[in-house]
Amino acid sequence: MNSEDANMSLCLVTGGAGFIGSHIVRRLLELGQDVRVLDNFSTGHRKNLTEVAGRIDLIEGDICDMPTAQRAGSPKPIPSALWCANTKYQGMLY
Ligand SMILES: NC(=O)c1ccc[n+]([C@@H]2O[C@H](COP(=O)([O-])OP(=O)(O)OC[C@H]3O[C@@H](n4cnc5c(N)ncnc54)[C@H](O)[C@@H]3O)[C@@H](O)[C@H]2O)c1
């Protein structure tokens, strides 16, 4: 993948509204990363993202839903992703 194929500063954080994910989101923003969060808010909280609202690309949905997962990785490939979604189905995407 070269820089023309992807936004190299974009990082996807699944479960970014959760306890660990939201801390990672804030730190990535501090480091100058663009951040996309994918979360279904099953255990996460919107208030965890209040501070960064407007600075992140938020996709609300389930990572196990293929159209949602594809949306999270488009229109350009995501060069880095941090998996903080707490789901027993995570192996489905590997
Ligand atoms: N908190 C800890 O001390 C700790 C320690 C070791 C490991 N972990 C692991 O780290 C991960 C995150 O922990 P946490 O404490 O931040 O949990 P959390 O419940 O606060 O965060 C998980 C996030 O994932 C989201 N989520 C769950 N299923 C999803 C799905 N199918 N699609 C999209 N989003 C989904 C939830 O809404 C939530 O925002 C877990 O796997 C946990 O087992 C946590």
Side-chain angles (χ1 to χ4, degrees), residues 1-84:
M1 185 188 310
N2 63 43
S3 57
E4 293 179 8
D5 296 327
N7 175 354
M8 298 306 287
S9 72
L10 180 60
C11 184
L12 171 67
V13 182
T14 70
F19 174 70
I20 291 176
S22 61
H23 282 85
I24 289 174
V25 167
R26 281 195 289 278
R27 184 62 182 138
L28 286 170
L29 289 170
E30 286 172 6
L31 293 171
Q33 291 279 304
D34 295 327
V35 178
R36 177 174 295 164
V37 169
L38 170 57
D39 203 297
N40 66 1
F41 294 95
S42 56
T43 59
H45 302 282
R46 291 176 199 282
K47 69 176 190 288
N48 287 344
L49 297 175
T50 302
E51 183 186 322
V52 298
R55 298 175 63 202
I56 60 170
D57 179 17
L58 174 63
I59 297 176
E60 183 170 351
D62 196 306
I63 192 65
C64 299
D65 174 59
M66 189 55 73
T68 301
Q70 288 173 333
R71 190 173 144 221
S74 64
K76 292 183 175 182
I78 304 285
S80 58
L82 291 160
W83 192 290
C84 301

